[in-house]
Amino acid sequence: MKISLEQLQVLDAIERHGSFTAAAAALHRVPSALSHAVAKLEADLGTPLFTREGRRALLNEAGRTLLEDGRHLLRAARELERRIQRIATGWEAELRIGLDAIIPAERLLPLIRSFYEAGHQTQIRLSNEVLGGTWDALAADRADLVIGAPGDPPARGGISSRLLCPIRMRLVAAAGHPLAAWPGPVPAGELVRHRAIVIADTSQELSARTIGLIDGQDALRVPDMRSKAAAQLAGLGIGRLPGWLADAEIAAGRLVELQTLEPEPTVRSHIAWRNRQIGKALQWFLDELAKKHVVEALTVGLRDPAAG
């Protein structure tokens, strides 16, 4: 065969990181090794795969087609490796857990501590995901388990889910923001005139999702929930925050909750996982996450009391 998994991995790294140098650093190799691998692949296939713009290397149509289909092979190879490891011991070598930005990562640490204290050797890898990125992490094989996945699951096989809790977000603005003094419910036509602070969806393959962003509304995109709260406290825009961030700021008078003509929607958040050959580490976390006190500890200041 003219195409190897190693060459596909090189293409994937270059596309994700934007240059041969950055990709080489991510793969712990020297840039010349990546250049040689790409040159050999282009020679074997008889077609260029990249266009160069200054220091950036951009995939052309042939290269993108190769990578899009090749990523399926890379995922299959990684899954095969994990399956062999699970067959040998029943325990995964690594368990990848994606956590939606609405849940503080520190809330998961007691559960991880319990896992380690039980003597389990599986490596744990945590990642932050946003909105549809949680479902995308499962579909694209970046995670084995995600916590806080919002909305409905994608129409894809191999994914199971169960309800974590219904979540209510608070639409808030800084006390000095023009909308803070608005008399009564704020109409959508007025909301759209003001910048929204949002966290960018982390989806790579599935369609990105948004919550509460109105068509045509200016948006400032920030990396995480605490940055979002800071931007809103600075008066840079309006947006929805979970109770664990908003409530104390509202009580202190630094944020004001905005009322709208339509009631704030309840978002159903989920625990979701890849259900093909569940290993013992994944099953351990699923069992723990089925316990009421564990769920309550994760969702303090998130649950919508009106949803029961």
Side-chain angles (χ1 to χ4, degrees):
M1 294 181 64
K2 297 179 179 180
I3 303 171
S4 70
L5 291 175
E6 181 182 9
Q7 289 168 326
L8 291 175
Q9 188 179 37
V10 167
L11 290 185
D12 178 69
I14 295 170
E15 195 274 338
R16 290 189 188 279
H17 297 281
S19 72
F20 280 70
T21 301
L27 295 175
H28 306 290
R29 299 174 65 181
V30 296
S32 60
L34 270 62
S35 298
H36 176 75
V38 170
K40 184 177 187 306
L41 181 58
E42 290 177 327
D44 289 343
L45 294 177
T47 181
L49 301 173
F50 285 92
T51 57
R52 273 73 175 180
E53 295 183 0
R55 295 184 178 182
R56 288 184 58 83
L58 302 176
L59 288 168
N60 60 22
E61 184 177 358
R64 182 157 295 281
T65 299
L66 174 60
L67 180 58
E68 287 176 354
D69 289 345
R71 279 175 171 160
H72 296 295
L73 298 177
L74 289 174
R75 286 199 294 272
R78 288 192 292 264
E79 177 60 25
L80 178 59
E81 290 176 351
R82 288 193 293 272
R83 285 174 60 192
I84 297 302
Q85 291 165 342
R86 288 196 297 267
I87 289 170
T89 66
W91 290 93
E92 304 91 319
E94 179 181 71
L95 184 70
R96 303 159 303 161
I97 303 175
L99 195 63
D100 186 80
I102 200 171
I103 299 176
E106 58 265 26
R107 294 188 180 182
L108 192 62
L109 300 184
L111 198 58
I112 295 174
R113 177 186 292 276
S114 296
F115 181 79
Y116 289 150
E117 289 178 346
H120 305 313
Q121 300 300 311
T122 295
Q123 298 289 315
I124 303 296
R125 181 190 296 269
L126 294 181
S127 64
N128 292 318
E129 301 292 345
V130 180
L131 295 175
T134 50
W135 299 109
D136 183 89
L138 293 174
D141 194 27
R142 297 196 309 276
D144 306 298
L145 169 68
V146 295
I147 302 171
D152 296 327
R156 292 210 176 186
I159 296 175
S160 295
S161 65
R162 64 174 183 244
L163 182 67
L164 177 64
C165 77
I167 288 175
R168 177 176 176 265
M169 302 285 277
R170 316 282 293 274
L171 179 60
V172 294
H177 190 278
L179 288 182
W182 189 273
V186 185
E190 183 62 26
L191 290 174
V192 76
R193 295 180 58 246
H194 298 270
R195 183 184 304 108
I197 311 297
V198 299
I199 309 175
D201 188 295
T202 53
S203 294
Q204 296 181 8
E205 294 188 12
L206 302 179
S207 298
R209 303 185 185 191
T210 61
I211 294 179
L213 188 64
I214 304 171
D215 287 344
Q217 188 175 20
D218 181 31
L220 169 62
R221 289 175 169 79
V222 295
D224 54 52
M225 193 63 71
R226 286 188 170 87
S227 298
K228 178 171 164 41
Q232 292 184 222
L233 283 164
L236 298 179
I238 63 175
R240 290 164 174 82
L241 292 174
W244 62 268
L245 270 175
D247 290 349
E249 301 297 341
I250 293 172
R254 290 185 288 268
L255 288 178
V256 174
E257 184 168 11
L258 306 180
Q259 304 300 317
T260 58
L261 295 175
E262 296 294 330
E264 285 296 303
T266 295
V267 178
R268 293 166 60 86
S269 66
H270 300 82
I271 295 166
W273 61 95
R274 292 171 61 85
N275 59 22
R276 294 190 178 96
Q277 292 192 329
I278 295 175
K280 291 181 179 180
L282 175 55
Q283 189 62 57
W284 187 94
F285 276 91
L286 290 175
D287 291 344
E288 291 298 306
L289 290 166
K291 297 176 179 177
K292 183 179 179 181
H293 73 277
V294 173
V295 171
E296 288 177 346
L298 283 173
T299 59
V300 172
L302 292 176
R303 184 179 294 272
D304 184 351

